[in-house]
Amino acid sequence: MDIREITIADEHAGPYGITAGPDGALWLTLTHAGRIARLDPGGGDLRTFDLGAPGCRPALITAGPDGALWFTRTGDDRIGRITTGGRLSVHPLPTAGCGPYGITAGPDGALWFTEMNADRVGRLTPAGELSEVPLPAAGAFASAITTGPDGALWCTLNRANAVARITTGGAVTLHELPTPAAGPVGITATADALWCVEIGAGQVARITPDGAVTEFALPDRAARPHAIVAAGDGCWLTEWGANRVAHITADGAVTEHDLPTPASEPHGLAVGPDGGLWVALELGRVAVMNHAR
């Protein structure tokens, strides 16, 4: 497997979330620098955009239904929007300290996001209309969120040891994970299931839309898997604690790949418009694997 790294910031900037944009570029959050970065996967051209709030801690980022990029600002309780031309705007959230984190484009033309510290999931239209759905679990620490193959939203509840299914009408169903203290974080969807990583258990879980859960142990149970993305015949995930990325097939077979730079702290990952797998490394770099399945 060919893996190369590209420096995009200093070692303190903290590349964290990453997504493919509608303009053929990779868009990243620089969580410690309060900036957004745009990287051309072909020529390597890099632009960064200052959010004007060094402590806003941009976290996860997604392409929106309006052709812009949307991201959470965990440090100052806002949802950010940036056009592909670099124009910035923000949407403040009503609850101080709610800690928005995960974000995804929903099937209803809105952005859906988690509020880690408020036990809620939020819905924001591109026009700025905001509503919130309470989760039936106190201290759940809602984390990543994605749209499932059933047209509902699914998010991980890190401290409740469960995943939640939320319809676009706001009905919530919880599905507990079999392993105690598994600590689910990243979540993604394939054509027939949801897949989430269990950072506390060193496992990957597959959840069907009706809530049936199958767990697959990673070869290194101390790997601390963090983010996951569907790709081809399975999913790719970052092993934050082991400085690796791994691929898991639909039947649970795992292949692991060491990253070139020690202690690079891999976090978010995305399949780029070039078909490569792009990984945000908190050390100030991105890694690209040119033969993603």
Side-chain angles (χ1 to χ4, degrees):
M1 180 67 67
D2 176 32
I3 304 176
R4 62 187 175 93
E5 294 180 348
I6 302 169
T7 299
I8 63 166
D10 65 47
E11 61 183 11
H12 305 296
Y16 191 85
I18 184 170
T19 195
D23 57 348
L26 281 306
W27 289 79
L28 300 99
T29 59
L30 304 182
T31 191
H32 301 311
R35 302 179 72 87
I36 298 294
R38 179 191 183 276
L39 178 66
D40 179 353
D45 293 334
L46 176 70
R47 295 177 65 193
T48 64
F49 305 90
D50 190 346
L51 300 179
C56 70
R57 295 187 64 83
L60 298 190
I61 186 168
T62 192
D66 58 347
L69 289 304
W70 294 75
F71 54 95
T72 50
R73 293 171 44 150
T74 302
D76 61 0
D77 307 311
R78 288 167 166 78
I79 303 299
R81 177 183 184 269
I82 185 169
T83 67
T84 54
R87 179 174 296 180
L88 289 157
S89 55
V90 296
H91 297 269
L93 300 179
T95 303
C98 64
Y101 179 74
I103 190 167
T104 192
D108 57 350
L111 285 305
W112 288 77
F113 58 92
T114 60
E115 299 179 36
M116 291 187 297
N117 303 323
D119 296 326
R120 287 194 296 261
V121 169
R123 177 184 183 272
L124 179 66
T125 70
E129 298 171 359
L130 174 69
S131 57
E132 295 172 308
V133 177
L135 297 170
F141 210 68
S143 299
I145 188 168
T146 194
T147 297
D150 57 348
L153 289 304
W154 290 75
C155 73
T156 51
L157 305 182
N158 179 262
R159 294 178 184 167
N161 211 54
V163 293
R165 178 183 186 270
I166 307 102
T167 69
T168 54
V172 182
T173 306
L174 298 189
H175 299 287
E176 293 185 5
L177 297 173
T179 301
V185 185
I187 190 168
T188 192
T190 58
D192 61 351
L194 290 304
W195 292 75
C196 74
V197 293
E198 300 177 354
I199 194 170
Q203 297 181 153
V204 180
R206 179 183 185 273
I207 308 102
T208 63
D210 62 1
V213 181
T214 305
E215 293 176 314
F216 302 99
L218 295 172
D220 179 2
R221 298 296 289 274
R224 298 191 65 77
H226 186 271
I228 188 168
V229 65
D233 60 348
C235 300
W236 287 92
L237 57 127
T238 50
E239 295 184 350
W240 172 73
N243 204 54
R244 286 192 295 257
V245 293
H247 180 268
I248 184 167
T249 64
D251 59 2
V254 178
T255 306
E256 296 176 314
H257 304 276
D258 292 323
L259 291 166
T261 301
S264 60
E265 297 191 46
H267 286 290
L269 71 174
V271 177
D274 59 347
L277 183 76
W278 292 77
V279 186
L281 308 178
E282 196 166 345
L283 193 62
R285 304 176 182 181
V286 292
V288 57
M289 303 171 67
N290 290 322
H291 302 291
R293 305 184 189 193

